[in-house]
Structures are given as C-alpha cells and as structure tokens.
C-alpha cells in the first residue's frame, strides 16, 4: 500500500468525504452498501471495475458462466492484488454477484476487497473467506436470474456514483467513498491535517469547551491551534 492509501486508511470515510465536499465533489458515497462482516476495518485500494447489464435471457443462460471472455469470470482472474473489485449490479439486492467460491479465489489472489451495489450469495461462506465485502447484503439466487454479465475496466455507476478504473475507494464501517484518482494524493494529505485538527478539537471539547467558535474555528481558535502545532503538538 502506498503512502496515499495509508493516509486515507488512517483517516477513514467521514474525513475523506469532507475533503471531497470542499472540492465540490458531492456525489461520492456509494448508496446503501454496508460491510458484510462487522470486523472488516478500513480498506483502501484502486478500483478494478465490473459492470452487470439488465437481464437479457439469451445472455443469461447458465452456459454463459463458462464462456470465454465472460466479464464476471474475467474479473475474478484479472483483478490485481491489492485492488478493490468494484461491481455495478444496478442496485439489485435480490440476486448475488458472487458467492463463496469466487470470493475464496479473490482472497487467494490477494484482492483487497469487493464493493458491489448488489448482493452476494452464500453470505456466511463469503465472510468465512476473509475477503472484505461491502454490499447490499446477501441473497440466494445467482446473478443470471436478474442480470447479464457486462464488461470489465470501463466506467461504472455503482450505488449511483461514477467510478473509473483506478479511482481510489475508501471503505469502512460507515460505507464507501470514491476518490478520483487525479486528486487522491492531495485529498489524502489534507485529510490527515483535518484529522489532526479534529482530534485537537475533540480534546478541547472533553475539557468542557463549547463548540461555537471552536468547530468550525474562528480566528482565535485557528491561532491557538497553530501555536499548539508550533510547540510540537505533543500534548492536547
């Protein structure tokens, strides 16, 4: 994991979300997805994208699952180690986008996580693989009951958010936010500073300070914080 990823992982989705908002990017949180297991922590990685299409019966016969070039199977074998498989499943929570066998394969290959605006099959089995998953939950039917497999490594709409291959996904207990690749480094650096300031503010609140003028800071609070940093920032 590179420095930018480490910084984003250290601060989490809420702080990253505010940094994106400050840059005018409001549509960045993937709607509805939650951790499949409660102990997945924070995972950060570059997106490898997979798109499902609306059901078309001639494209969703069970025989297609073994067809050469079938997108969902290509993704399982080509998503790079450390990347996050980002899946557009059209917000359909009543059919699984992958099950325990495919999750085990992804985990074995070192894929960091799966994010899908759809469900998974064999939820307990998927969780048992140790692969972190953010999804709409679990469902028994296979994907081909309601979806057709599409292409990999193109733009997708996941949870009503646009994701391009290589965009950075930050995933934790609050959900998933998408950071455009081009601004990921600056977002990460500013998020670290925001986190430092907010921890300083939290210490002041615990001392009994009121939030008005403290958060957001007025000029006096800014000066106090800068003086604290200049002193080494070792004690709240």
């Amino acid at each position: 994991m590179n420095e930018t990823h480490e910084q984003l992982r250290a601060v989490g989705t809420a702080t990253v979300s505010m940094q994106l908002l400050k840059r005018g990017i409001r549509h960045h949180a993937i709607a509805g997805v939650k951790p499949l297991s409660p102990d997945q922590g924070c995972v950060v990685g570059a997106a490898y994208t997979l798109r499902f299409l609306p059901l078309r019966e001639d494209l969703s016969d069970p025989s297609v699952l073994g067809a050469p070039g079938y997108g969902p199977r290509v993704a399982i074998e080509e998503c790079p180690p450390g990347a996050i498989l980002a899946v557009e499943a059209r917000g359909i929570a009543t059919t699984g986008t992958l099950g325990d066998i495919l999750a085990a394969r992804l985990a074995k290959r070192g894929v960091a996580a799966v994010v899908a605006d759809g469900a998974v099959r064999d939820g307990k089995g998927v969780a048992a693989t140790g692969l972190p998953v953010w999804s709409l939950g679990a469902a028994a039917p296979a994907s081909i009951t309601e979806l057709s497999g599409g292409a990999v490594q193109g733009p997708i709409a996941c949870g009503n958010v646009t994701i391009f291959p290589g965009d950075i996904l930050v995933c934790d207990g609050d959900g998933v936010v998408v950071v455009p690749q081009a601004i990921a480094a600056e977002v990460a650096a500013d998020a670290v500073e925001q986190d430092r300031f907010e921890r300083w503010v939290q210490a002041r609140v615990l001392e009994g300070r009121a939030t008005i003028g403290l958060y957001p800071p007025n000029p006096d609070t800014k000066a106090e914080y800068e003086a604290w940093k200049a002193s080494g920032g070792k004690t709240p």
Side-chain angles (χ1 to χ4, degrees):
M1 183 178 290
N2 63 34
E3 181 181 6
T4 294
H5 289 193
E6 291 175 351
Q7 290 173 326
L8 293 171
R9 184 173 60 82
V11 300
T13 56
T15 301
V16 173
S17 176
M18 180 56 70
Q19 287 300 319
L20 292 169
L21 181 61
K22 288 180 177 180
R23 289 165 171 79
I25 301 176
R26 298 176 179 272
H27 225 63
H28 55 257
I30 297 179
V33 299
K34 297 296 181 184
L36 184 64
S37 299
D39 57 350
Q40 294 181 164
C42 184
V43 178
V44 177
Y48 178 100
T49 61
L50 166 65
R51 187 183 186 200
F52 279 94
L53 301 170
L55 176 67
R56 204 177 88 176
E57 286 77 2
D58 62 322
L59 300 178
S60 296
D61 183 272
S63 63
V64 75
L65 299 175
Y70 180 62
R73 290 295 188 271
V74 170
I76 298 301
E77 297 301 327
E78 293 190 359
C79 184
I84 294 177
L85 177 58
V87 183
E88 176 186 344
R90 305 183 56 78
I92 295 174
T94 52
T95 185
T97 54
L98 79 163
D100 56 352
I101 293 175
L102 300 185
R105 177 60 177 160
L106 291 171
K108 184 69 173 179
R109 295 189 56 252
V111 171
V114 172
V115 173
D117 65 343
V120 297
R121 304 176 72 200
D122 313 304
K124 289 185 179 180
V126 172
T129 69
L131 177 72
V133 173
W134 278 259
S135 70
L136 300 183
S143 62
I144 55 174
T145 61
E146 297 191 54
L147 298 167
S148 298
V152 299
Q153 286 297 78
I156 63 171
C158 182
N160 209 28
V161 177
T162 296
I163 302 176
F164 285 87
D167 284 345
I168 308 303
L169 306 186
V170 183
C171 320
D172 64 15
D174 289 343
V176 179
V177 298
V178 180
V179 183
Q181 183 178 14
I183 61 171
E186 67 178 75
V187 166
D190 288 352
V192 168
E193 173 59 21
Q194 178 188 329
D195 180 69
R196 187 183 190 190
F197 171 70
E198 289 181 348
R199 285 187 284 110
W200 179 85
V201 167
Q202 182 79 336
R204 306 287 76 76
V205 170
L206 292 175
E207 291 172 350
R209 293 263 291 269
T211 57
I212 295 174
L214 180 67
Y215 188 73
N218 60 23
D220 288 342
T221 296
K222 291 179 180 178
E224 182 184 357
Y225 173 66
E226 291 300 325
W228 172 79
K229 284 202 301 181
S231 71
K234 295 181 180 179
T235 57

